[in-house]
């Protein structure tokens, strides 16, 4: 790793703002019912230091090892960021969990990471998640935690009240482990991606060369902070530049949250950019909008009005990523005067790999590399490989998987196929392996889901697919016996009801982003002759996607748990 300036590391940046701008408002937190709570850098410092004292005292009392893991299970809020800072200040490593995980996944991550404690914060589905917390694990609640969590665990304010602030400026070194970011792998089991403080600092320095940000900027935090993009862009962008962070209250209040924050920089996944577009089109049909935008004076007024209605009238940099952005969608926003820069990255490289250049039309690609990032295409399989100082240290407690993630000469294997043109622009063309992303930017490993889905007696073979869709879809081929007994309406209805019940049972064991939108029943046999099956009787995923992919949207649009695809 190149030399990282000590004052660019996360904690040192925090101390800088604590000293230089103690009274400036840094975080704005909705408290429900329209109420807001603001935190200055000095107030944040006071609470973080008190919580760090608590974590150190608890660690000493319970014999925590240096670099012990402390988890954060919460939706985005001011206390999430303060918890992370307190964990680091106390000398420990943070383990963020998505606030929508199934209890089995929560337990798996907390056990695998050997988490010594957990912040249980703002959550919508706490009752379902609670069984995932190991018995006896010390937990702490936030002011916005569910009521029974606040009853069960000591609260943030009470803990801060009984501790004196940690003094001085405890430092963490560039090569020290900062966090474990758990991400799904090809087996479906979450892997703990290890990142150092130096990697985060380098990633921010590279990002700022491409997209300048400063203390005058405003950002709305609403994508999970457990996700690498939000973690780098919001948390480390905030610490590095000192910009103001506003938090979203709820899904229902998102539009008003956006209006309140009026972000100057806004990142979202393709699915939300599509929802914004659909909202505009519902009020202003596309043909009418196109006509208005073509008129010189009126077009400018219409653009301003629409952007203001979206809460993006102050947005100077808009970006999308985590899944491919449709070209037509990018063109639509460009006509609106809100060009969206498309980025590409992954947890293993802190999402700092490629992004289109602001002010240039590079639609159809994800742009060139960030400064300091190297990229190449492997000749044997077309895989994009890259390296930079922001690469992970490896997967926690998985030396073999860590070794497999890199080539012999130290390049990260992305698992994505790509093409790099003469201008250095990268186009992603597919996946080397079966793992795919939904339009929400979440990876789905199909094999474990197929194993569960295929346990239904009438199913002979199945494939889980749905890259770039909202949710995965199961496509199943019936056994010859089941196909023979599903000829009449009554037989289909009975089989469909039983399969729908099985689908509910499968989905109940999956994380939200993995749950199947529907199961499509295909009665046409998949054979070697028609190209669906290999000679060793394995289903060819590419063939399934090629034949059925164009019909997926229409099947999902039926809004039925079981769809007959023939």
């Amino acid at each position: 790793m190149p030399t990282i300036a000590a004052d660019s590391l996360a904690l040192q940046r925090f101390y800088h703002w604590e000293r230089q701008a103690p009274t400036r408002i840094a975080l704005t937190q909705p408290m429900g019912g329209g109420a807001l709570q603001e935190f200055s850098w000095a107030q944040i410092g006071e609470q973080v230091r008190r919580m760090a004292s608590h974590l150190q005292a608890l660690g000493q009392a319970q014999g925590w090892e240096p670099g012990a893991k402390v988890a954060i299970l919460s939706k985005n809020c001011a206390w999430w960021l303060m918890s992370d800072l307190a964990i680091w200040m106390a000398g420990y490593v943070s383990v963020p969990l998505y606030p929508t995980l199934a209890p089995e996944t929560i337990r798996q991550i907390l056990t695998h990471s050997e988490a010594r404690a957990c912040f249980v914060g703002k959550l919508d589905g706490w009752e379902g998640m609670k069984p995932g917390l190991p018995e006896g694990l010390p937990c702490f609640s936030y002011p916005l935690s569910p009521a029974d969590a606040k009853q069960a665990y000591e609260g943030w304010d009470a803990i801060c009240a009984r501790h004196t602030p940690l003094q001085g400026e405890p430092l963490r070194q560039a090569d020290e482990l900062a966090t474990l970011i758990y991400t799904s792998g090809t087996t479906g089991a979450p892997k703990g991606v290890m990142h150092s403080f130096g990697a985060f600092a380098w990633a921010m320095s590279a990002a700022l060369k491409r997209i300048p940000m400063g203390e005058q900027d405003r950002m709305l935090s609403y994508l999970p902070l457990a996700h690498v993009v939000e973690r780098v862009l919001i948390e480390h962008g905030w610490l590095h530049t000192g910009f103001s962070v506003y938090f979203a209250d709820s899904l229902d209040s998102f539009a008003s949250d956006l209006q309140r924050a009026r972000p100057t920089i806004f990142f979202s996944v393709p699915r939300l950019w599509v929802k914004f577009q659909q909202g505009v089109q519902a009020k202003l049909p596309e043909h009418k909008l196109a006509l208005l935008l073509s008129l010189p004076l009126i077009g400018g007024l219409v653009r301003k009005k629409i952007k203001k209605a979206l809460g993006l009238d102050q947005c100077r940099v808009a970006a999308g990523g985590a899944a491919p952005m449709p070209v037509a969608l990018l063109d639509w926003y460009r006509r609106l005067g809100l060009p969206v820069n498309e980025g590409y990255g992954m947890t293993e490289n802190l999402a700092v790999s490629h992004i289109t250049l602001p002010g240039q039309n590079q639609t159809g690609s994800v742009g060139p590399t960030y400064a300091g990032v190297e990229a190449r295409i492997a000749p044997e399989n077309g895989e994009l490989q890259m390296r930079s100082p922001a690469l992970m240290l490896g997967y926690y407690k998985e030396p073999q998987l860590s070794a497999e993630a890199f080539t012999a000469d130290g390049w990260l294997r992305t698992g994505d196929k790509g093409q790099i043109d003469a201008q250095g622009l990268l186009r992603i063309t597919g996946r080397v392996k079966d793992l795919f992303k939904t339009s929400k930017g979440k990876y789905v490993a199909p094999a474990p889901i197929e194993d569960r889905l295929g346990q239904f007696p009438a199913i002979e073979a199945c494939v889980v697919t749905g890259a770039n869709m909202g949710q995965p879809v199961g496509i199943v081929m019936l056994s010859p016996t089941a196909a023979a007994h599903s000829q009449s309406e009554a037989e289909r209805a009975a089989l469909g009801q039983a399969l729908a019940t099985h689908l509910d049972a499968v989905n109940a064991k999956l994380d939200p982003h993995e749950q199947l939108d529907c199961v499509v029943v295909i009665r046409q046999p998949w054979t070697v002759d028609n190209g669906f099956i290999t000679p060793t009787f394995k289903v060819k995923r590419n063939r399934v996607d090629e034949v059925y992919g164009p019909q997926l949207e229409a099947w999902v649009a039926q809004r039925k748990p079981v769809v007959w695809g023939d």
Side-chain angles (χ1 to χ4, degrees), residues 359-550:
Q360 296 190 26
N361 185 353
Q362 298 174 337
T363 300
S365 78
V366 291
T369 58
Y370 285 86
V373 173
E374 299 173 272
R376 72 184 185 189
I377 303 298
E380 64 273 15
N381 60 1
E383 181 186 39
L384 170 69
Q385 298 172 353
M386 59 81 63
R387 63 182 178 184
S388 80
L391 293 189
M392 66 173 179
L393 299 173
Y395 297 116
Y396 185 57
K397 297 198 298 190
E398 298 285 0
Q400 183 174 343
L401 289 177
S402 298
E404 291 170 359
F406 294 92
T407 64
D409 53 350
W411 293 65
L412 177 68
R413 304 179 192 272
T414 67
D416 286 310
K417 290 186 177 181
Q419 298 172 346
I420 300 173
D421 67 17
Q423 287 73 47
L425 305 182
L426 171 66
R427 183 187 301 272
I428 302 297
T429 59
R431 288 288 299 172
V432 175
K433 296 183 180 179
D434 298 329
L435 203 67
F436 63 87
K437 271 186 181 180
T438 66
S439 64
K440 298 173 183 174
K442 303 296 286 293
Y443 278 116
V444 173
I449 307 174
E450 290 161 355
D451 289 343
R452 292 175 178 175
L453 189 60
Q455 291 172 12
F456 188 74
I459 293 176
E460 181 167 302
C462 65
V463 167
V464 169
T465 187
N468 306 323
M469 296 183 66
Q471 294 291 136
V473 173
I475 300 180
V476 306
M477 183 189 77
L478 298 179
S479 67
T481 302
H485 289 86
S486 59
Q487 301 299 315
S488 69
E489 289 285 343
E491 288 172 332
R492 283 191 178 204
L495 180 59
Q497 182 60 51
L499 187 50
T501 301
H502 178 64
L503 175 62
D504 287 341
V506 170
N507 278 341
K509 296 286 188 180
L510 301 175
D511 289 331
H513 71 280
E514 299 174 312
Q515 292 171 0
L516 302 178
D517 238 342
C518 64
V519 169
V520 180
V521 181
I522 303 295
R523 290 192 297 166
Q524 174 199 12
W526 295 344
T527 67
V528 174
D529 290 340
N530 63 22
F532 282 92
I533 303 293
T534 69
T536 55
F537 300 102
K538 294 177 182 177
V539 179
K540 294 183 179 178
R541 295 181 185 277
N542 290 347
R543 176 68 173 156
V544 171
D545 286 336
E546 174 190 318
V547 174
Y548 302 119

Side-chain angles (χ1 to χ4, degrees), residues 264-296:
T264 56
I265 300 169
F266 185 73
F267 174 90
S268 190
V269 295
R271 192 170 180 83
L272 188 58
W273 285 117
V274 170
K275 283 186 176 294
F276 285 164
Q277 180 192 43
Q278 291 171 341
V280 172
Q281 291 172 336
K283 297 179 181 179
L284 195 61
E286 186 58 31
H287 68 277
K288 188 174 181 180
L289 175 61
L291 174 62
L292 292 173
L293 292 179
S294 69
L295 302 174

Side-chain angles (χ1 to χ4, degrees), residues 319-331:
M325 298 277 286
V327 171
L329 183 68
L330 293 168
D331 289 340

Side-chain angles (χ1 to χ4, degrees), residues 11 207 461:
L11 274 180

